[in-house]
Amino acid sequence: MRLTFALLFALIVTAVPAQESTTRTISGRVIDSETGEYILGASVVDLTTGQGTSTNVFGFFSLTLSQEEQELMWSFIGYEPKRQKIQRDAAVHLELTVELQPLTIQIAEAEVLGERTEHVDDTKMGRAIVDVETIKALPALLGEVDILKVIQLLPGVQSAGEGNAGFYVRGGGPDQNLVLVDNAVVYNAAHLFGFFSVFNPDAVQSVELTKGGMPARFGGRVSAVLEIAMKEGNAREMRASGGIGLISSRLMLEGPIKEDTASFTVSARRTYLDVLAKAVTDSEGEMSGSGYFFYDLNTKVNWRISPKDQVYLSGYFGRDVFSFANSTADFQTRIPWGNATGTLRWNHLFSDRAFLSTTTTVSDYDFAFEARQDSFLFGFRSGIKDVSFRPQLTLYPNPRHTIRTGVDYTLHRFIPTEVYVENNGVAFDLGDAEKTFSHEVGWYIEDEFDVSDRVRVSAGLRYGGFAHVGPFTRYTQDVEEDPLGGAGVMSELHFAPGELVAWHDGMEPRLGLRVKTGPHSSIKAGYSKNQQFVHLTSLAPTSMPADIWVPSSDRVKPQRGTQVAAGYFTQWGEQQKWEASLEVYHKGLHNLVAYADGSMPEDNIQNNVDNNLVFGEGTSYGAEFFLKKRLGEVTGWLGYTWSKTDRLFEELNNGNRFPARYDRRHDLSLVAQYELNERWQFSGTFVYGTGSSITVPIQRYFLDGQIINVYGDRNGYRMAPYHRADIGATYTPRPKSGKARPGQWVFSVYNLYNRKNPYFIYFGNEGSIDTGDLTIKAYQVSLFPILPSVAWNFSF
């Protein structure tokens, strides 16, 4: 692999045309003048020719122009544009560090979803860059600002349910989204059983979602990519910020280790539900010892070794702990779960046309459940741990041409289910924990180039391979060996450490096309083929902490997805303050996994999890409309999605197609922000969605003293439509003379008109079988009524 990569590197470098004497290459970084942090996505334009580019995730740009006199402009939403003239006799190679000054008055254009000119110009479809200030400004459940809940307001993205931070993209499941924090995979992005995400917005620098046309550098998922970059830390002065809310508080410290050379950031967040519960409950009561809390810790150290080299080390650690105790029944349970990630990255600039990024990451997710009653103890744990290595080379032959190539390697360790039982201190022998190991490899190349001023093409190819290796034991049920014809006995096939159990691989082509239909409009089309080697299995209707990750194996094939999309994009008005787009898509999914009907958690004991799985396929298609106002006192967006998503499993629903639980025909979101003056800003959201599909009993009968349910078609019933309005206001007091602003008060009201949205439905009996009037009655459970909240944010 190293030899192949080296040969490819040499081939590409030699293919880059030599720089002619009539051209000049201008490269460098764009940074925030106050913090020294790099600015992602800043526009760089030659005003004399109209040629331009944008900075990458490291603030780097490279622009090759003629040796004539030029006037360059650097700009980014929320910053003062900067212009600089380049004389005709300037050097052939210019390296610049451009500092952009944040706007003194933060008016609304700094607080919207910002795609800038890329909305029309680039080949990317289904892409949104979410500004962190927007996330902080919108109304939030219990005052807890949440990145994933704002993502759910975009067309094509659906929530997992009332208050839930899980999200589904264009008919894909939650496990089919690749969630990255500084390039490290996050396997469970939720706190409080899904109601809040694990991302502390104070520590976040940028958020980018790709719904379709996934670039070839991303692999391992078939639906979407959510990239979250953490702040590098202020390289010029010490700062502190944070906030105090109804259920949690947070604090962030950042500053220079060495000015303009090295910086750090540390942020922490913790809920105090457990502390408040202790204050209002009897310490001697039967529920004493029950509680819940979660916390997050983000750290990052950034070191600019030289103008050509930068290293950063970042980490995330988050934990949820739920405990319940009943002294009367002498019963206790404890459920902890959490993520830990680490990223070490080295960026190196070979020249103004070649950029190398080398990344090593570690991701660890684990879940545990433990229950004790009297002297009996029962518990189980599951988890997944990854170690990854990813070098990537980016080449800029000219302003119309960008090449990326690299390799991926990931070592996976899975613990699907490890069960332990004790009684009176004596441990039961339930066999060894079924740990599994696998190696995932990938190679990719991307080439984005302009065919003409109107036509741009982005082509990519990715190869992915997956090796499931020992130690591993394959359990096989042999019914014929059971003389009574029952469940049979389990035969075992053992694989030695490193021995190959199964190998899967495949090619993944990606293609994007943009054709400009005018100065501020374009038509785009895209095709992508993806494969996914790890799978999430769940017995619950939504993603939960106890869900189990399993690898592709000799029984489980990789999931494969194919998506085709096309759309029209346009901008208009003064400073192009209005944007609109219409996209249509079709997605096909194969080798999907689900638990067989009647499966229970204990079925995984001394067994392979994949022995309890069934396999199927799915389709999703729809249309997405997006209208956005970027500038002015009033900003916001309107998003609408019409879609249909279904599944087909031979062993489920009698082999007939059925709607996916998150199939939602209509999905509407409206977001508005209004800045009254420097002290008061207001915001509001409204969402509407077709009700979730569920499976319900249609008949009941009495047999041997028990009531037996007869269920209808799988997901054949719709709950009531979901709709809700939220409002918020931010008040920033005027600072005293010569002093900084004292902070902000943030007020919000969740579920303004107290809509009783269905969270789930359960069924009970009315009447009696003895009187012959026994009927089934459905009962709806609603979760959140109208909820006002207040929080205080500070910075100094």
Side-chain angles (χ1 to χ4, degrees):
M1 179 63 74
R2 287 183 295 179
L3 178 60
T4 302
F5 183 62
L7 291 174
L8 179 65
F9 177 95
L11 178 62
I12 294 175
V13 171
T14 55
V16 175
Q19 181 162 309
E20 302 174 2
S21 59
T22 58
T23 63
R24 172 187 297 116
T25 298
I26 305 169
S27 62
R29 313 267 188 171
V30 179
I31 64 176
D32 185 305
S33 64
E34 292 187 357
T35 67
E37 291 183 301
Y38 294 138
I39 299 177
L40 157 68
S43 297
V44 187
V45 179
D46 175 16
L47 299 177
T48 57
T49 65
Q51 295 185 16
T53 186
S54 58
T55 57
N56 64 13
V57 293
F58 315 108
F60 177 78
F61 70 91
S62 179
L63 196 59
T64 300
L65 304 167
S66 66
Q67 285 191 9
E68 302 298 324
E69 181 176 302
Q70 291 115 7
E71 184 177 8
L72 299 185
M73 183 176 74
W74 294 265
S75 62
F76 188 68
I77 292 176
Y79 290 82
E80 294 282 357
K82 185 172 184 177
R83 300 189 182 200
Q84 180 175 335
K85 287 189 176 182
I86 308 297
Q87 301 301 323
R88 184 173 184 176
D89 58 353
V92 174
H93 295 272
L94 280 180
E95 291 188 14
L96 304 175
T97 299
V98 181
E99 298 188 8
L100 296 186
Q101 177 70 36
L103 291 172
T104 304
I105 301 175
Q106 290 294 319
I107 56 178
E109 56 259 42
E111 300 178 350
V112 295
L113 292 174
E115 293 170 299
R116 303 169 302 282
T117 57
E118 281 84 352
H119 175 77
V120 169
D121 290 341
D122 69 17
T123 58
K124 299 181 179 68
M125 298 186 62
R127 172 178 176 258
I129 296 176
V130 185
D131 187 83
V132 177
E133 295 306 314
T134 299
I135 297 171
K136 294 179 178 180
L138 295 181
L141 173 62
L142 296 175
E144 288 299 304
V145 176
D146 197 315
I147 290 174
L148 297 188
K149 286 190 174 62
V150 176
I151 290 292
Q152 294 168 8
L153 297 173
L154 298 171
V157 184
Q158 299 173 1
S159 70
E162 171 75 277
N164 202 299
F167 65 104
Y168 305 93
V169 179
R170 291 184 172 178
D175 64 315
Q176 295 171 343
N177 301 322
L178 180 63
V179 181
L180 301 172
V181 174
D182 279 346
N183 283 98
V185 177
V186 176
Y187 279 98
N188 188 310
H191 284 307
L192 192 56
F193 300 98
F195 290 108
F196 302 108
S197 74
V198 300
F199 308 115
N200 180 353
D202 288 344
V204 173
Q205 183 181 44
S206 64
V207 180
E208 182 173 343
L209 175 70
T210 302
K211 298 180 291 182
M214 193 184 299
R217 60 185 178 274
F218 298 113
R221 298 295 187 274
V222 297
S223 190
V225 179
L226 178 63
E227 298 175 85
I228 298 175
M230 311 308 291
K231 288 183 177 179
E232 298 177 358
N234 195 312
R236 297 187 171 172
E237 62 178 355
M238 287 291 300
R239 286 188 179 178
S241 60
I244 300 174
L246 293 180
I247 65 170
S248 74
S249 292
R250 61 192 193 279
L251 175 66
M252 184 178 76
L253 301 175
E254 58 178 330
I257 300 173
K258 182 180 180 180
E259 187 173 349
D260 286 332
T261 302
S263 60
F264 78 94
T265 178
V266 178
S267 64
R269 176 177 61 163
R270 192 194 191 279
T271 60
Y272 27 76
L273 292 172
D274 54 330
V275 178
L276 296 176
K278 288 180 180 179
V280 298
T281 57
D282 184 2
S283 60
E284 301 296 329
E286 66 175 9
M287 306 299 288
S288 176
S290 300
Y292 170 83
F293 66 91
F294 71 76
Y295 61 88
D296 299 303
L297 177 66
N298 296 86
T299 62
K300 192 168 186 177
V301 176
N302 178 59
W303 181 23
R304 298 172 188 174
I305 302 173
S306 70
K308 294 183 178 294
D309 294 278
Q310 177 190 10
V311 174
Y312 75 70
L313 176 66
S314 69
Y316 165 80
F317 184 80
R319 205 94 186 137
D320 290 67
V321 178
F322 172 79
S323 58
F324 174 80
N326 187 312
S327 59
T328 302
D330 193 20
F331 176 79
Q332 297 176 334
T333 185
R334 189 172 184 270
I335 308 176
W337 73 92
N339 297 277
T341 70
T343 303
L344 176 62
R345 190 167 202 160
W346 170 49
N347 300 324
H348 177 69
L349 187 65
F350 286 109
S351 69
D352 50 19
R353 295 190 181 191
F355 185 91
L356 176 68
S357 173
T358 305
T359 308
T360 299
T361 63
V362 176
S363 299
D364 192 359
Y365 172 72
D366 65 274
F367 170 87
F369 171 87
E370 187 172 283
R372 180 186 298 273
Q373 186 166 26
D374 298 327
S375 60
F376 181 79
L377 172 68
F378 169 81
F380 71 88
R381 62 177 66 94
S382 65
I384 179 172
K385 183 176 182 178
D386 294 348
V387 179
S388 301
F389 177 70
R390 299 183 181 94
Q392 175 180 287
L393 175 67
T394 305
L395 303 173
Y396 304 92
N398 56 62
R400 296 174 176 265
H401 196 184
T402 302
I403 300 172
R404 294 183 183 90
T405 185
V407 295
D408 297 340
Y409 168 75
T410 301
L411 170 64
H412 298 284
R413 186 201 68 177
F414 301 84
I415 307 179
T417 304
E418 182 180 3
V419 179
Y420 54 95
V421 178
E422 292 183 7
N423 191 19
N424 289 320
V426 178
F428 289 77
D429 184 8
L430 300 177
D432 295 332
E434 187 59 43
K435 296 184 177 70
T436 58
F437 299 86
S438 59
H439 304 273
E440 184 173 350
V441 296
W443 169 86
Y444 62 87
I445 184 168
E446 300 174 11
D447 194 352
E448 186 171 17
F449 57 93
D450 288 348
V451 178
S452 66
D453 290 339
R454 296 179 58 224
V455 180
R456 176 176 293 178
V457 175
S458 176
L461 182 64
R462 181 181 182 87
Y463 169 79
F466 189 87
H468 180 200
V469 300
F472 178 71
T473 301
R474 166 58 67 192
Y475 295 94
T476 305
Q477 194 173 73
D478 191 347
V479 178
E480 294 182 358
E481 293 187 16
D482 183 1
L484 300 179
V489 297
M490 303 295 287
S491 60
E492 300 179 4
L493 177 63
H494 298 279
F495 292 85
E499 184 179 356
L500 184 66
V501 178
W503 168 260
H504 303 279
D505 65 348
M507 303 298 291
E508 304 173 43
R510 318 281 172 87
L511 182 64
L513 173 68
R514 182 268 289 158
V515 179
K516 297 197 73 171
T517 57
H520 304 295
S521 63
S522 64
I523 294 174
K524 302 180 186 181
Y527 169 84
S528 62
K529 185 175 182 179
N530 302 64
Q531 55 186 347
Q532 179 170 331
F533 298 110
V534 298
H535 317 267
L536 186 67
T537 59
S538 177
L539 290 170
T542 60
S543 180
M544 296 294 289
D547 297 345
I548 296 172
W549 289 90
V550 296
S552 297
S553 64
D554 54 336
R555 174 170 165 75
V556 182
K557 297 179 181 179
Q559 297 180 52
R560 302 191 189 277
T562 302
Q563 183 174 174
V564 180
Y568 176 74
F569 299 78
T570 185
Q571 293 177 305
W572 71 92
E574 184 181 357
Q575 296 183 337
Q576 310 305 311
K577 65 181 178 181
W578 289 94
E579 292 182 359
S581 63
L582 176 63
E583 297 184 55
V584 294
Y585 69 90
H586 182 279
K587 180 187 291 184
L589 298 170
H590 304 277
N591 303 329
L592 302 177
V593 301
Y595 271 110
D597 284 338
S599 296
M600 300 296 290
E602 56 267 26
D603 296 339
N604 296 328
I605 300 176
Q606 290 188 315
N607 195 4
N608 304 121
V609 173
D610 56 19
N611 283 335
N612 301 310
L613 302 179
V614 294
F615 310 97
E617 61 184 43
T619 59
S620 180
Y621 55 89
E624 301 168 1
F625 172 74
F626 192 44
L627 174 65
K628 177 172 67 177
K629 185 173 183 288
R630 301 189 304 123
L631 306 175
E633 292 182 345
V634 178
T635 60
W637 69 89
L638 171 68
Y640 170 75
T641 304
W642 183 95
S643 63
K644 185 175 182 180
T645 303
D646 60 29
R647 296 290 184 260
L648 178 62
F649 286 75
E650 185 177 344
E651 293 87 352
L652 302 178
N653 201 47
N654 298 316
N656 298 317
R657 285 190 177 273
F658 57 90
R661 176 174 171 79
Y662 36 88
D663 172 52
R664 190 171 298 167
R665 200 70 69 245
H666 305 283
D667 194 83
L668 173 75
S669 60
L670 176 63
V671 177
Q673 295 174 264
Y674 171 61
E675 181 152 350
L676 179 63
N677 51 46
E678 292 184 28
R679 289 181 294 165
W680 282 101
Q681 297 85 37
F682 299 93
S683 62
T685 61
F686 174 78
V687 294
Y688 173 89
T690 303
S692 298
S693 54
I694 60 173
T695 306
V696 301
I698 56 175
Q699 292 181 359
R700 284 185 173 181
Y701 61 89
F702 196 73
L703 180 65
D704 296 332
Q706 295 183 340
I707 296 177
I708 307 299
N709 292 317
V710 178
Y711 286 88
D713 290 342
R714 193 179 183 95
N715 294 338
Y717 175 80
R718 292 273 182 186
M719 291 196 290
Y722 181 96
H723 53 88
R724 190 193 77 244
D726 309 325
I727 59 173
T730 301
Y731 173 67
T732 306
R734 284 178 176 170
K736 295 181 180 180
S737 178
K739 294 186 178 180
R741 290 181 179 268
Q744 291 181 328
W745 288 96
V746 181
F747 308 93
S748 64
V749 179
Y750 182 89
N751 196 5
L752 179 64
Y753 52 88
N754 199 31
R755 161 72 174 175
K756 291 182 172 57
N757 286 301
Y759 183 60
F760 66 85
I761 293 176
Y762 71 94
F763 296 85
N765 301 327
E766 282 195 351
S768 169
I769 194 170
D770 296 329
T771 57
D773 60 350
L774 178 66
T775 60
I776 305 172
K777 186 173 178 63
Y779 299 90
Q780 175 180 300
V781 175
S782 299
L783 200 59
F784 295 119
I786 181 172
L787 288 174
S789 63
V790 61
W792 178 59
N793 297 330
F794 59 87
S795 62
F796 54 86

